[in-house]
Amino acid sequence: MRTVFAVALLLLAVFYTAMAFADFNFLSPRGRIAPGFFPQIIGSLLVFFTLSTVIIEFRRRQTEPGILPDWGVTLSVNALVGVFIVASHFLGALPGMIIFMLLTLSLLNRGKHMVNLLLGVALPVLMFVSFRFWLNAAMPPGMIGLPY
């Protein structure tokens, strides 16, 4: 199951990276950062890390007995991704990210409430601040229309 998941992620990463390199320029004609800067870097890193994960999983698969898949957790995380998309649309980027992180961590990291709370709030706030102010990327304001 983990190997199949890693291969699926690798294929998605390759597709994303190919689109980033085909559709966006890395630098503008003036030599400034263009829209392809961030997607191309993220895509390249995704391909590198998922490829290394696939290699590790193939090696582990030969030495370890089979790991039983937990379909309930997989389906729950997929449902939470859907909740994240809807929450980001209606509530905005930051509340959507916080809700997604808190719910996902409560599912995957059970019993560690303080760590989940710290990570569930700190990481989305850091990501939001870096995207909004450092990278100057537009974030969904949500139906409330909070001026981020």
Side-chain angles (χ1 to χ4, degrees):
M1 175 73 177
R2 289 167 53 175
T3 306
V4 173
F5 180 72
V7 170
L9 281 180
L10 176 62
L11 292 175
L12 287 172
V14 167
F15 178 71
Y16 174 81
T17 306
M19 285 181 44
F21 277 97
D23 295 340
F24 300 115
N25 294 328
F26 190 75
L27 295 174
S28 70
R30 293 184 177 183
R32 294 184 177 179
I33 295 174
F37 177 77
F38 191 69
Q40 289 174 5
I41 290 174
I42 294 299
S44 299
L45 290 172
L46 276 171
V47 169
F48 173 75
F49 287 119
T50 54
L51 181 61
S52 63
T53 301
V54 167
I55 291 169
I56 290 168
E57 288 302 320
F58 273 117
R59 289 181 183 168
R60 182 181 295 161
R61 187 175 181 201
Q62 295 170 355
T63 60
E64 288 185 3
I67 299 172
L68 295 175
D70 192 350
W71 291 102
V73 172
T74 304
L75 292 175
S76 299
V77 170
N78 283 329
L80 288 173
V81 170
V83 169
F84 170 63
I85 293 168
V86 171
S88 293
H89 177 70
F90 288 108
L91 300 176
L94 185 58
M97 286 189 282
I98 290 173
I99 290 169
F100 174 74
M101 287 291 292
L102 290 174
L103 291 175
T104 304
L105 286 172
S106 69
L107 176 70
L108 299 176
N109 197 21
R110 295 181 186 191
K112 298 184 179 179
H113 305 296
M114 187 57 81
V115 172
N116 292 347
L117 184 63
L118 287 172
L119 285 175
V121 173
L123 285 177
V125 167
L126 288 172
M127 286 178 58
F128 180 81
V129 167
S130 65
F131 272 83
R132 183 68 179 104
F133 300 109
W134 183 53
L135 295 171
N136 201 21
M139 302 297 283
M143 299 294 267
I144 300 169
L146 296 175
Y148 294 129

